[in-house]
């Protein structure tokens, strides 16, 4: 069982936020730098808003800005300053309509995602733990790419050349992961035809 806590008190230690079902309903697990997981009674959206508010960040304005700069809609990364970009990843199946399925991980604490079984993926975290998400490896790499693009858009003068190089590297990783996934699917199809 996770410890109980408030995201505002732990804000500088947070590296991940994921929605969970608890005995009292929807709740949020907060993943910390040291590997601990703290349970927050509030739903994920309230926890994200509280975390951003603790840094005096207007998430609505940030999302408008990112939609415009990235040309994307839907679930977007969010930025807390000093290079802290949290990327959205699917972390659970919804039980009822309106349940949050996406959680967020600080990209700087994410290792190279590894394909799991089916449409799942394992992400090693810098604190030594592993996080299972309900997204394919290529989807996770795409989320990381969006995170780098958000960082470049919100910190345009910080390491411009490095950001472009990172984006090219991320795009290559996404392409490679997609090719591996296609090859694996073709092998499964071939095996099913032989049987």
């Amino acid at each position: 069982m996770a410890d109980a806590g408030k995201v505002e008190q732990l804000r500088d230690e947070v590296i991940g936020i994921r929605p969970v079902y608890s005995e009292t309903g929807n709740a949020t697990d907060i993943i910390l730098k040291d590997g601990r997981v703290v349970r927050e009674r509030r739903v994920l959206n309230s926890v994200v808003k509280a975390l951003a508010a603790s840094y005096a960040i207007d998430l609505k304005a940030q999302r408008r800005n990112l939609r415009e700069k990235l040309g994307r809609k839907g679930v977007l990364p969010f930025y807390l300053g000093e290079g802290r970009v949290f990327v959205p990843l699917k972390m659970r199946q919804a039980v009822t309509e309106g349940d949050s399925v996406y959680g967020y991980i600080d990209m700087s604490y994410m290792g190279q995602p590894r394909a799991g079984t089916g449409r799942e993926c394992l992400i090693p975290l810098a604190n030594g733990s592993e996080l299972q998400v309900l997204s394919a490896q290529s989807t996770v790499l795409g989320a990381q790419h969006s995170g780098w693009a958000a960082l470049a858009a919100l910190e345009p003068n910080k390491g411009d050349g490095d950001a472009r190089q990172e984006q090219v590297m991320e795009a290559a990783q996404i392409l490679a992961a997609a090719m591996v996934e296609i090859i694996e699917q073709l092998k499964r199809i071939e095996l099913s035809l032989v049987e």
Side-chain angles (χ1 to χ4, degrees), residues 24-54:
T24 59
N26 277 314
T28 304
D29 276 353
I30 302 167
I31 304 165
L32 303 176
K33 289 179 184 178
D34 65 8
R36 287 183 301 138
V37 176
V38 176
R39 178 75 38 97
E40 167 78 75
R41 290 183 184 180
R42 294 179 283 185
V43 297
L44 185 114
N45 287 340
S46 296
V47 172
V48 170
K49 287 177 187 174
L51 179 60
S54 74

Side-chain angles (χ1 to χ4, degrees), residues 1 8 12 22 30 36 50-51 61 64-65 71 77 83 95 101 119-120 137 140 171 186 195:
M1 178 73 162
E8 296 92 331
D12 295 334
S22 71
I30 302 167
R36 287 183 301 138
L51 179 60
R64 276 193 305 272
N65 190 4
V95 171
V101 295
R119 306 277 301 153
E120 296 173 355
Q137 183 181 26
V140 174
L186 289 172
E195 295 173 353

Side-chain angles (χ1 to χ4, degrees), residues 1-3 5 7 14-22 25-32 35-48 51 78 86-93 99-106 121-125 127 129-134:
M1 178 73 162
D3 297 329
V7 73
V14 176
I15 66 166
I17 305 166
R18 70 176 171 217
V20 294
Y21 295 112
S22 71
N26 277 314
T28 304
D29 276 353
I30 302 167
I31 304 165
L32 303 176
R36 287 183 301 138
V37 176
V38 176
R39 178 75 38 97
E40 167 78 75
R41 290 183 184 180
R42 294 179 283 185
V43 297
L44 185 114
N45 287 340
S46 296
V47 172
V48 170
L51 179 60
F78 67 88
F86 286 73
V87 295
L89 298 168
K90 188 173 181 182
M91 296 190 184
R92 70 175 180 179
Q93 294 291 342
D99 282 351
S100 295
V101 295
Y102 286 91
Y104 295 88
I105 298 293
D106 185 335
C121 185
L122 294 173
I123 303 170
L125 300 177
N127 64 17
S129 63
E130 260 188 345
L131 181 66
Q132 182 175 348
V133 296
L134 303 180

